[in-house]
Amino acid sequence: MVWFFFIFIFIFTGKSKEAEIKRINKELANIRSKFKGDKALDGYSKKKYVCKLLFIFLLGHDIDFGHMEAVNLLSSNKYTEKQIGYLFISVLVNSNSDLIRLINNGLKNDLASRNPTYMNLALHCVANVGSREMAEAFAADIPRVLVAGDTMDSVKQSAALCLLRLNRTSPDLVPMGEWTARVVHLLNDQHLGVVTAATSLITTLAQKSPDDFKTAVSLAIARLSRIVTSASIDLQDYTYYFVAAPWLSVKLLRLLQCYPPPEDGALRGRLTECLETILNKAQEPPKSKKVQHSNAKNAVLFEAISLIIHHDSEPTLLVRACNQLGQFLQHRETNLRYLALESMCTLASSEFSHEAVKTHIETVINALKTERDVSVRQRAVDLLYAMCDRSNAKQIVAEMLSYLENADYSIREEIVLKVAILAEKYAVDYTWYVDTILNLIRLAGDYVSEEVWYRVIQIVINRDDVQGYAAKTVFEALQAPACHENLVKVGGYILGEFGNLIAGDSRSSPLVQFQLLHSKFHLCSVPTRALLLSSYIKFINLFPEVKATIQEVLRSDSQLRNADVELQQRAVEYLRLSCIASTDILATVLEEMPPFPERESSILAKLKRKKGPGVLPNIDDVRQEREKERSLNGSLDDGSDAASKTPFLAPCAPPPPSVLSAGTMTSLYPTADLLGPTAPPPSGGASLLVDVFSDSLSAVAHAPLDMSPASGPMSDDNFSRFICKNNGVLFENQLLQIGLKSEYRQNLGRIYVFFGNKTSTQFLHFTSTLNIHTKPAEATVDAGAQVQQIINIECISDFTDAPALDIHFRYGGTLQSFVVKLPVMLNKFFQPTEMVSQDFFQRWKQLGAPQQEVQKIFKAQHAMDTEVTKAKIIGFGTALLDGVDPNPTNFVGAGVIHTKNTQMYRLTLRTSRDTVSQRLSDLLSEQF
Amino acid sequence: MIKAILIFNNHGKPRLSKFYEHYSEDTEQQIIRETFHLVSKRDENVCNFLEGGMLIGGSENKLIYRHYATLYFVFCVDSSESELGILDLIQVFVETLDKCFENVCELDLIFHVDKVHNILAEMVMGGMVLETNMNEIITHVDAQNKMEKSEAGIAGAPARAVSAVKNMNLPEMPRNINIGDISIKVPNLPSFK
């Protein structure tokens, strides 16, 4: 009864936290003294105390003793004690505890005991702890237990899952191979529990090495077909509410999703038959009214539908699946509606069924409006996003916007991002796009992230057909008595750039525009005010007539003596600039922003980040590809400017610069850390005023860190020139000259690449990356100037392909890109080796294997001159050995190539590796 | 894979927690609290699935739960599990508990921490579903009980304690778990209402 009262007090007095802690500490002290006491505890007491400890642990209190007792209990001969010992270990011990070593021995004994109950306990313990040490100790034993003929079924089940667990935690320690075939055959086992466990194991293993488990496909299909077509009574115990073995069916269908559709016709037919039967069963009247029956049935059905979507090859099945999901969309069971929306999302990305999914648009919109459960509504938003295309974009965006007004706060930001992306992606008419985004800001300004409003500005700047409309719209929007700060930012920026387009109308004269903006000024935060100050200085350039008014504002104490250093600095500088600069200079300095380079939408990147990896990619990758083609084709005819020819979502390497952030101005000042060539790039590669000051400083652009695909024409005309020399001009066209200087020493090399700007304009966003080894570099290349990039090279093993240098920059308004092969060849790593005739021939003979020698006889392309030949051989990197060969018309060179692996190669076209000989011969023969 | 199985009552007091991935003890408690917070604010009759909390992996994991009278049963799973399958598994788990404890109630989970863990271990192992057949599970549990009884005659003590509690007329006594459509007649034990 002590036990009972203890617990009783626990539950009902546990209302005050302090009382609970006090009670627990007392109990812990009591248990500790019992464990430490001289009197040996009987089995029941031990169990009682361990249970109490477990309960105390569950309530969130630390248990720092009792572990040794648990280890002793675990090694006991009595089942009761052993069981409680295992329980304690599996709940309380985490994987890196030292205790693991102490129990390994006990586990080994139990595993070898041949008593199924003990074996199961041990296997459970290994699976639950699953540490690396356990894997080391048992990885070899468990497969044996699993495939042994005399193992009990329940032990086999446990062993399969235990192996799966170890494979997950330390895959390198679980040997594959000899037992794989026998594991696959467990799919034929009599006991369905074993088959279920084995299917789980095989599914995980097959994801890692599909080839090893290919044979499982046919067995799984056979098994599935037996389950699906059998009368439910055949599977007695595994029939759950009149559904034959639902869990096993689900697992088998999951396993089949690891593989493409089977190629063998008969097998494929059998699978299709299974899937059809499952779809047919959904139409039959339910055999029971219980929810468990429909749950089990639908679990199988949904898995079958995922398999159909995964295979994406049988149009009839896909359409049936889509119709079935359509039915579920209106089912009264919320769970089914949720799952149907989720499955449809994946279905929408399939080429065959995208159209079919679109027919359900009304239902989905209705779900968005009426569904009570926020998680279901969220799925509806996902599905609308996935099913959106050019034809229904306007409707979907409108629905999402109207939903946004009363959407759950937790999902608002996501909806905002999705609306922004869809509006941009499917905008035919950019006035619609501008309206949509302004609406977004109006409805959910707080949830509109920086990326969204940066993006609208980028688009307005890049498309001159929409600029006037945008200026007019923001002007009107700003007239609302209360508008969101994000709107002020967009408005300030756009009017600063394009205010002149609407200045003709007396209702939006320059002065009115300025006063409208300035009326918002005092309500805004510092970054917005900074942006507005920049707009004001732009106004001075656009409208000389308001110059005096603006100067007045800038001169006021609240600006010139503002406590915020950024605002003060801007005010002082802008005022100064407006006073001293001539109109021409002002016009140059405050010129309209150049078009932004096209790149992946920053909003899309943000959405991906937000959703985490692997949530959206399927839909987006497939659809984006399609969209890209479409928008490429679609925009050819409107052809208004160069920018519109490239799709707005085209993925491009450099990350987007922010449009105009508060930090932009700072980059105009030569503070050391911003301007050092290796300094982290500030965001303002495209900042407002950079052009003016660019003689004294260079704006540092981002260098992409990924391997950009070779996009431009590959140029290697001058490549061969570098085989025998190290310095020279590698590439030259009318814009750019690339010079090269290189040094090699053993396996190390250093290349200085010089980029010379031959034009009179600056190259912006200059990036140069190497396809093997990336190194951030570069900046803006000023007119007539030269910048240098240093590349360090280490030769790790022999190679044939030269690395390619990928160069992108912006010259004028257009993006230029080149790929230049860097002349790094194997022979560069030659170390000239002097040796006498005798040594030479000795080593020559050592390299006598036929593949090691390459001989080439070719016609001379140049005049045969002894001196030139000698120079070329030395230039090739070998030492020229005079007097080794008695015939003076034969030349002999020797060298050693150092690689990181310090393997040595001998030249004279006998080398220790056939590929090396071949390559060297190729390289050298081009030279004569 | 099942990441965690949590049972807590309507007030968020944990009644069982089993984690199949390793978290520190503090994090485990935080996960329980976070999960309770997410699940308890939902209405009845909404769907049984929702995205996991930040601590347990955010939207990559799903919480699948059922609410029985005073207790929430929550399974946190990754994308490799079938949602409806797990929902049925919870049902099997509760039905099994009901059979083993004869009209299971919240108190049973406290008194028989060990038994509940053992039953769970028969169903889920290292985060994977081991056995779904109720008869098989009960056979295993019965076999264990028999072994216990043969080793000691006192195994019945906790059961006696439960019946003592069940017989006392207490104001705040947790009610029986209502498993909806299952009604298992218990002739001997008077259940409390």
Side-chain angles (χ1 to χ4, degrees), chain A residues 180-207:
Chain A
T180 48
R182 301 181 65 178
V183 169
V184 170
H185 277 277
L186 286 178
L187 287 178
N188 279 335
D189 201 282
Q190 289 289 317
H191 191 276
L192 288 193
V194 175
V195 185
T196 314
T199 315
S200 297
L201 174 63
I202 294 168
T203 307
T204 308
L205 295 176
Q207 278 160 356

PDB file of all heavy atoms in Angstrom, chain A residues 180-207:
ATOM      1  N   THR A 180      22.214 -10.471 -47.967  1.00  0.00           N
ATOM      2  CA  THR A 180      21.157  -9.698 -48.624  1.00  0.00           C
ATOM      3  C   THR A 180      20.130 -10.610 -49.311  1.00  0.00           C
ATOM      4  O   THR A 180      18.924 -10.396 -49.169  1.00  0.00           O
ATOM      5  CB  THR A 180      21.728  -8.733 -49.674  1.00  0.00           C
ATOM      6  OG1 THR A 180      22.629  -9.458 -50.473  1.00  0.00           O
ATOM      7  CG2 THR A 180      22.424  -7.573 -49.038  1.00  0.00           C
ATOM      8  N   ALA A 181      20.602 -11.607 -50.034  1.00  0.00           N
ATOM      9  CA  ALA A 181      19.674 -12.460 -50.774  1.00  0.00           C
ATOM     10  C   ALA A 181      18.701 -13.139 -49.821  1.00  0.00           C
ATOM     11  O   ALA A 181      17.503 -13.245 -50.102  1.00  0.00           O
ATOM     12  CB  ALA A 181      20.446 -13.502 -51.569  1.00  0.00           C
ATOM     13  N   ARG A 182      19.223 -13.563 -48.679  1.00  0.00           N
ATOM     14  CA  ARG A 182      18.336 -14.278 -47.763  1.00  0.00           C
ATOM     15  C   ARG A 182      17.346 -13.339 -47.098  1.00  0.00           C
ATOM     16  O   ARG A 182      16.225 -13.741 -46.774  1.00  0.00           O
ATOM     17  CB  ARG A 182      19.173 -15.017 -46.724  1.00  0.00           C
ATOM     18  CG  ARG A 182      20.118 -16.002 -47.424  1.00  0.00           C
ATOM     19  CD  ARG A 182      20.946 -16.780 -46.480  1.00  0.00           C
ATOM     20  NE  ARG A 182      20.163 -17.670 -45.643  1.00  0.00           N
ATOM     21  CZ  ARG A 182      20.719 -18.481 -44.746  1.00  0.00           C
ATOM     22  NH1 ARG A 182      22.023 -18.496 -44.592  1.00  0.00           N
ATOM     23  NH2 ARG A 182      19.973 -19.262 -44.016  1.00  0.00           N
ATOM     24  N   VAL A 183      17.775 -12.083 -46.900  1.00  0.00           N
ATOM     25  CA  VAL A 183      16.833 -11.111 -46.341  1.00  0.00           C
ATOM     26  C   VAL A 183      15.690 -10.887 -47.322  1.00  0.00           C
ATOM     27  O   VAL A 183      14.519 -10.845 -46.939  1.00  0.00           O
ATOM     28  CB  VAL A 183      17.534  -9.787 -46.011  1.00  0.00           C
ATOM     29  CG1 VAL A 183      16.518  -8.707 -45.700  1.00  0.00           C
ATOM     30  CG2 VAL A 183      18.460  -9.966 -44.830  1.00  0.00           C
ATOM     31  N   VAL A 184      16.035 -10.761 -48.602  1.00  0.00           N
ATOM     32  CA  VAL A 184      14.988 -10.548 -49.602  1.00  0.00           C
ATOM     33  C   VAL A 184      13.980 -11.687 -49.561  1.00  0.00           C
ATOM     34  O   VAL A 184      12.771 -11.485 -49.662  1.00  0.00           O
ATOM     35  CB  VAL A 184      15.608 -10.402 -51.010  1.00  0.00           C
ATOM     36  CG1 VAL A 184      14.530 -10.420 -52.059  1.00  0.00           C
ATOM     37  CG2 VAL A 184      16.412  -9.124 -51.086  1.00  0.00           C
ATOM     38  N   HIS A 185      14.476 -12.902 -49.336  1.00  0.00           N
ATOM     39  CA  HIS A 185      13.560 -14.041 -49.329  1.00  0.00           C
ATOM     40  C   HIS A 185      12.653 -14.075 -48.115  1.00  0.00           C
ATOM     41  O   HIS A 185      11.669 -14.831 -48.114  1.00  0.00           O
ATOM     42  CB  HIS A 185      14.333 -15.343 -49.490  1.00  0.00           C
ATOM     43  CG  HIS A 185      14.617 -15.611 -50.932  1.00  0.00           C
ATOM     44  ND1 HIS A 185      13.688 -16.196 -51.753  1.00  0.00           N
ATOM     45  CD2 HIS A 185      15.670 -15.291 -51.703  1.00  0.00           C
ATOM     46  CE1 HIS A 185      14.176 -16.240 -52.977  1.00  0.00           C
ATOM     47  NE2 HIS A 185      15.383 -15.705 -52.973  1.00  0.00           N
ATOM     48  N   LEU A 186      12.956 -13.252 -47.121  1.00  0.00           N
ATOM     49  CA  LEU A 186      12.033 -13.177 -45.987  1.00  0.00           C
ATOM     50  C   LEU A 186      10.669 -12.653 -46.423  1.00  0.00           C
ATOM     51  O   LEU A 186       9.673 -12.834 -45.730  1.00  0.00           O
ATOM     52  CB  LEU A 186      12.597 -12.256 -44.894  1.00  0.00           C
ATOM     53  CG  LEU A 186      13.759 -12.818 -44.072  1.00  0.00           C
ATOM     54  CD1 LEU A 186      14.228 -11.780 -43.083  1.00  0.00           C
ATOM     55  CD2 LEU A 186      13.352 -14.079 -43.345  1.00  0.00           C
ATOM     56  N   LEU A 187      10.644 -12.003 -47.597  1.00  0.00           N
ATOM     57  CA  LEU A 187       9.357 -11.513 -48.102  1.00  0.00           C
ATOM     58  C   LEU A 187       8.397 -12.666 -48.373  1.00  0.00           C
ATOM     59  O   LEU A 187       7.193 -12.468 -48.483  1.00  0.00           O
ATOM     60  CB  LEU A 187       9.563 -10.705 -49.384  1.00  0.00           C
ATOM     61  CG  LEU A 187      10.186  -9.318 -49.234  1.00  0.00           C
ATOM     62  CD1 LEU A 187      10.364  -8.674 -50.590  1.00  0.00           C
ATOM     63  CD2 LEU A 187       9.317  -8.438 -48.361  1.00  0.00           C
ATOM     64  N   ASN A 188       8.942 -13.867 -48.511  1.00  0.00           N
ATOM     65  CA  ASN A 188       8.090 -15.038 -48.740  1.00  0.00           C
ATOM     66  C   ASN A 188       7.714 -15.751 -47.457  1.00  0.00           C
ATOM     67  O   ASN A 188       7.074 -16.788 -47.500  1.00  0.00           O
ATOM     68  CB  ASN A 188       8.824 -16.037 -49.639  1.00  0.00           C
ATOM     69  CG  ASN A 188       8.720 -15.632 -51.084  1.00  0.00           C
ATOM     70  OD1 ASN A 188       7.776 -14.942 -51.445  1.00  0.00           O
ATOM     71  ND2 ASN A 188       9.685 -16.030 -51.881  1.00  0.00           N
ATOM     72  N   ASP A 189       8.127 -15.207 -46.330  1.00  0.00           N
ATOM     73  CA  ASP A 189       7.921 -15.915 -45.073  1.00  0.00           C
ATOM     74  C   ASP A 189       6.433 -16.152 -44.823  1.00  0.00           C
ATOM     75  O   ASP A 189       5.565 -15.399 -45.264  1.00  0.00           O
ATOM     76  CB  ASP A 189       8.521 -15.076 -43.930  1.00  0.00           C
ATOM     77  CG  ASP A 189       8.818 -15.911 -42.713  1.00  0.00           C
ATOM     78  OD1 ASP A 189       7.876 -16.231 -41.967  1.00  0.00           O
ATOM     79  OD2 ASP A 189      10.003 -16.236 -42.524  1.00  0.00           O
ATOM     80  N   GLN A 190       6.171 -17.250 -44.069  1.00  0.00           N
ATOM     81  CA  GLN A 190       4.789 -17.598 -43.725  1.00  0.00           C
ATOM     82  C   GLN A 190       4.172 -16.547 -42.806  1.00  0.00           C
ATOM     83  O   GLN A 190       3.011 -16.203 -42.927  1.00  0.00           O
ATOM     84  CB  GLN A 190       4.779 -18.943 -42.962  1.00  0.00           C
ATOM     85  CG  GLN A 190       5.096 -20.133 -43.814  1.00  0.00           C
ATOM     86  CD  GLN A 190       3.952 -20.425 -44.770  1.00  0.00           C
ATOM     87  OE1 GLN A 190       2.804 -20.377 -44.379  1.00  0.00           O
ATOM     88  NE2 GLN A 190       4.284 -20.706 -46.022  1.00  0.00           N
ATOM     89  N   HIS A 191       4.995 -16.033 -41.880  1.00  0.00           N
ATOM     90  CA  HIS A 191       4.490 -15.175 -40.814  1.00  0.00           C
ATOM     91  C   HIS A 191       4.438 -13.735 -41.300  1.00  0.00           C
ATOM     92  O   HIS A 191       5.469 -13.165 -41.659  1.00  0.00           O
ATOM     93  CB  HIS A 191       5.428 -15.316 -39.611  1.00  0.00           C
ATOM     94  CG  HIS A 191       4.888 -14.697 -38.367  1.00  0.00           C
ATOM     95  ND1 HIS A 191       5.032 -13.369 -38.099  1.00  0.00           N
ATOM     96  CD2 HIS A 191       4.208 -15.221 -37.336  1.00  0.00           C
ATOM     97  CE1 HIS A 191       4.470 -13.103 -36.929  1.00  0.00           C
ATOM     98  NE2 HIS A 191       3.952 -14.227 -36.449  1.00  0.00           N
ATOM     99  N   LEU A 192       3.272 -13.152 -41.311  1.00  0.00           N
ATOM    100  CA  LEU A 192       3.158 -11.811 -41.881  1.00  0.00           C
ATOM    101  C   LEU A 192       3.892 -10.756 -41.045  1.00  0.00           C
ATOM    102  O   LEU A 192       4.325  -9.747 -41.584  1.00  0.00           O
ATOM    103  CB  LEU A 192       1.696 -11.413 -42.018  1.00  0.00           C
ATOM    104  CG  LEU A 192       0.908 -12.120 -43.121  1.00  0.00           C
ATOM    105  CD1 LEU A 192      -0.402 -11.419 -43.354  1.00  0.00           C
ATOM    106  CD2 LEU A 192       1.699 -12.177 -44.408  1.00  0.00           C
ATOM    107  N   GLY A 193       4.016 -11.004 -39.757  1.00  0.00           N
ATOM    108  CA  GLY A 193       4.771 -10.074 -38.921  1.00  0.00           C
ATOM    109  C   GLY A 193       6.218  -9.997 -39.383  1.00  0.00           C
ATOM    110  O   GLY A 193       6.803  -8.919 -39.477  1.00  0.00           O
ATOM    111  N   VAL A 194       6.782 -11.154 -39.693  1.00  0.00           N
ATOM    112  CA  VAL A 194       8.161 -11.188 -40.191  1.00  0.00           C
ATOM    113  C   VAL A 194       8.254 -10.450 -41.515  1.00  0.00           C
ATOM    114  O   VAL A 194       9.183  -9.667 -41.752  1.00  0.00           O
ATOM    115  CB  VAL A 194       8.649 -12.650 -40.346  1.00  0.00           C
ATOM    116  CG1 VAL A 194      10.025 -12.693 -40.972  1.00  0.00           C
ATOM    117  CG2 VAL A 194       8.635 -13.354 -39.006  1.00  0.00           C
ATOM    118  N   VAL A 195       7.264 -10.667 -42.384  1.00  0.00           N
ATOM    119  CA  VAL A 195       7.303 -10.005 -43.683  1.00  0.00           C
ATOM    120  C   VAL A 195       7.246  -8.485 -43.496  1.00  0.00           C
ATOM    121  O   VAL A 195       7.976  -7.749 -44.152  1.00  0.00           O
ATOM    122  CB  VAL A 195       6.128 -10.476 -44.576  1.00  0.00           C
ATOM    123  CG1 VAL A 195       6.244  -9.875 -45.957  1.00  0.00           C
ATOM    124  CG2 VAL A 195       6.119 -11.980 -44.658  1.00  0.00           C
ATOM    125  N   THR A 196       6.399  -8.036 -42.581  1.00  0.00           N
ATOM    126  CA  THR A 196       6.292  -6.587 -42.351  1.00  0.00           C
ATOM    127  C   THR A 196       7.631  -6.004 -41.910  1.00  0.00           C
ATOM    128  O   THR A 196       8.098  -5.000 -42.462  1.00  0.00           O
ATOM    129  CB  THR A 196       5.240  -6.287 -41.262  1.00  0.00           C
ATOM    130  OG1 THR A 196       4.076  -7.051 -41.541  1.00  0.00           O
ATOM    131  CG2 THR A 196       4.893  -4.829 -41.242  1.00  0.00           C
ATOM    132  N   ALA A 197       8.247  -6.669 -40.930  1.00  0.00           N
ATOM    133  CA  ALA A 197       9.534  -6.172 -40.439  1.00  0.00           C
ATOM    134  C   ALA A 197      10.572  -6.206 -41.553  1.00  0.00           C
ATOM    135  O   ALA A 197      11.336  -5.249 -41.743  1.00  0.00           O
ATOM    136  CB  ALA A 197       9.997  -7.002 -39.251  1.00  0.00           C
ATOM    137  N   ALA A 198      10.588  -7.309 -42.314  1.00  0.00           N
ATOM    138  CA  ALA A 198      11.579  -7.436 -43.382  1.00  0.00           C
ATOM    139  C   ALA A 198      11.356  -6.364 -44.443  1.00  0.00           C
ATOM    140  O   ALA A 198      12.320  -5.806 -44.984  1.00  0.00           O
ATOM    141  CB  ALA A 198      11.500  -8.822 -44.020  1.00  0.00           C
ATOM    142  N   THR A 199      10.090  -6.047 -44.728  1.00  0.00           N
ATOM    143  CA  THR A 199       9.819  -5.020 -45.735  1.00  0.00           C
ATOM    144  C   THR A 199      10.380  -3.669 -45.293  1.00  0.00           C
ATOM    145  O   THR A 199      10.976  -2.951 -46.089  1.00  0.00           O
ATOM    146  CB  THR A 199       8.310  -4.897 -45.995  1.00  0.00           C
ATOM    147  OG1 THR A 199       7.767  -6.204 -46.120  1.00  0.00           O
ATOM    148  CG2 THR A 199       8.032  -4.117 -47.247  1.00  0.00           C
ATOM    149  N   SER A 200      10.194  -3.368 -44.003  1.00  0.00           N
ATOM    150  CA  SER A 200      10.767  -2.111 -43.499  1.00  0.00           C
ATOM    151  C   SER A 200      12.272  -2.097 -43.710  1.00  0.00           C
ATOM    152  O   SER A 200      12.844  -1.107 -44.178  1.00  0.00           O
ATOM    153  CB  SER A 200      10.504  -1.961 -42.002  1.00  0.00           C
ATOM    154  OG  SER A 200       9.144  -1.875 -41.754  1.00  0.00           O
ATOM    155  N   LEU A 201      12.909  -3.207 -43.355  1.00  0.00           N
ATOM    156  CA  LEU A 201      14.370  -3.294 -43.480  1.00  0.00           C
ATOM    157  C   LEU A 201      14.790  -3.123 -44.938  1.00  0.00           C
ATOM    158  O   LEU A 201      15.674  -2.326 -45.256  1.00  0.00           O
ATOM    159  CB  LEU A 201      14.850  -4.647 -42.932  1.00  0.00           C
ATOM    160  CG  LEU A 201      16.326  -4.963 -43.118  1.00  0.00           C
ATOM    161  CD1 LEU A 201      17.192  -3.977 -42.360  1.00  0.00           C
ATOM    162  CD2 LEU A 201      16.646  -6.379 -42.662  1.00  0.00           C
ATOM    163  N   ILE A 202      14.120  -3.857 -45.827  1.00  0.00           N
ATOM    164  CA  ILE A 202      14.530  -3.825 -47.237  1.00  0.00           C
ATOM    165  C   ILE A 202      14.289  -2.438 -47.828  1.00  0.00           C
ATOM    166  O   ILE A 202      15.105  -1.939 -48.610  1.00  0.00           O
ATOM    167  CB  ILE A 202      13.776  -4.902 -48.032  1.00  0.00           C
ATOM    168  CG1 ILE A 202      14.215  -6.281 -47.544  1.00  0.00           C
ATOM    169  CG2 ILE A 202      14.055  -4.778 -49.521  1.00  0.00           C
ATOM    170  CD1 ILE A 202      13.360  -7.401 -48.037  1.00  0.00           C
ATOM    171  N   THR A 203      13.196  -1.787 -47.423  1.00  0.00           N
ATOM    172  CA  THR A 203      12.926  -0.452 -47.965  1.00  0.00           C
ATOM    173  C   THR A 203      14.073   0.503 -47.648  1.00  0.00           C
ATOM    174  O   THR A 203      14.559   1.214 -48.522  1.00  0.00           O
ATOM    175  CB  THR A 203      11.622   0.116 -47.361  1.00  0.00           C
ATOM    176  OG1 THR A 203      10.591  -0.835 -47.560  1.00  0.00           O
ATOM    177  CG2 THR A 203      11.240   1.413 -48.037  1.00  0.00           C
ATOM    178  N   THR A 204      14.518   0.452 -46.399  1.00  0.00           N
ATOM    179  CA  THR A 204      15.610   1.352 -46.029  1.00  0.00           C
ATOM    180  C   THR A 204      16.899   0.999 -46.763  1.00  0.00           C
ATOM    181  O   THR A 204      17.607   1.882 -47.266  1.00  0.00           O
ATOM    182  CB  THR A 204      15.845   1.302 -44.514  1.00  0.00           C
ATOM    183  OG1 THR A 204      14.609   1.524 -43.863  1.00  0.00           O
ATOM    184  CG2 THR A 204      16.847   2.328 -44.078  1.00  0.00           C
ATOM    185  N   LEU A 205      17.191  -0.293 -46.824  1.00  0.00           N
ATOM    186  CA  LEU A 205      18.430  -0.706 -47.494  1.00  0.00           C
ATOM    187  C   LEU A 205      18.363  -0.385 -48.989  1.00  0.00           C
ATOM    188  O   LEU A 205      19.352   0.033 -49.587  1.00  0.00           O
ATOM    189  CB  LEU A 205      18.680  -2.187 -47.285  1.00  0.00           C
ATOM    190  CG  LEU A 205      18.940  -2.628 -45.841  1.00  0.00           C
ATOM    191  CD1 LEU A 205      19.067  -4.124 -45.756  1.00  0.00           C
ATOM    192  CD2 LEU A 205      20.182  -1.960 -45.287  1.00  0.00           C
ATOM    193  N   ALA A 206      17.182  -0.579 -49.569  1.00  0.00           N
ATOM    194  CA  ALA A 206      17.047  -0.368 -51.016  1.00  0.00           C
ATOM    195  C   ALA A 206      17.200   1.100 -51.371  1.00  0.00           C
ATOM    196  O   ALA A 206      17.627   1.428 -52.474  1.00  0.00           O
ATOM    197  CB  ALA A 206      15.695  -0.879 -51.498  1.00  0.00           C
ATOM    198  N   GLN A 207      16.867   1.990 -50.437  1.00  0.00           N
ATOM    199  CA  GLN A 207      17.072   3.402 -50.731  1.00  0.00           C
ATOM    200  C   GLN A 207      18.556   3.712 -50.847  1.00  0.00           C
ATOM    201  O   GLN A 207      18.948   4.599 -51.592  1.00  0.00           O
ATOM    202  CB  GLN A 207      16.451   4.270 -49.632  1.00  0.00           C
ATOM    203  CG  GLN A 207      14.956   4.449 -49.838  1.00  0.00           C
ATOM    204  CD  GLN A 207      14.245   4.862 -48.569  1.00  0.00           C
ATOM    205  OE1 GLN A 207      14.843   4.954 -47.508  1.00  0.00           O
ATOM    206  NE2 GLN A 207      12.959   5.103 -48.685  1.00  0.00           N
TER     207      GLN A 207
END
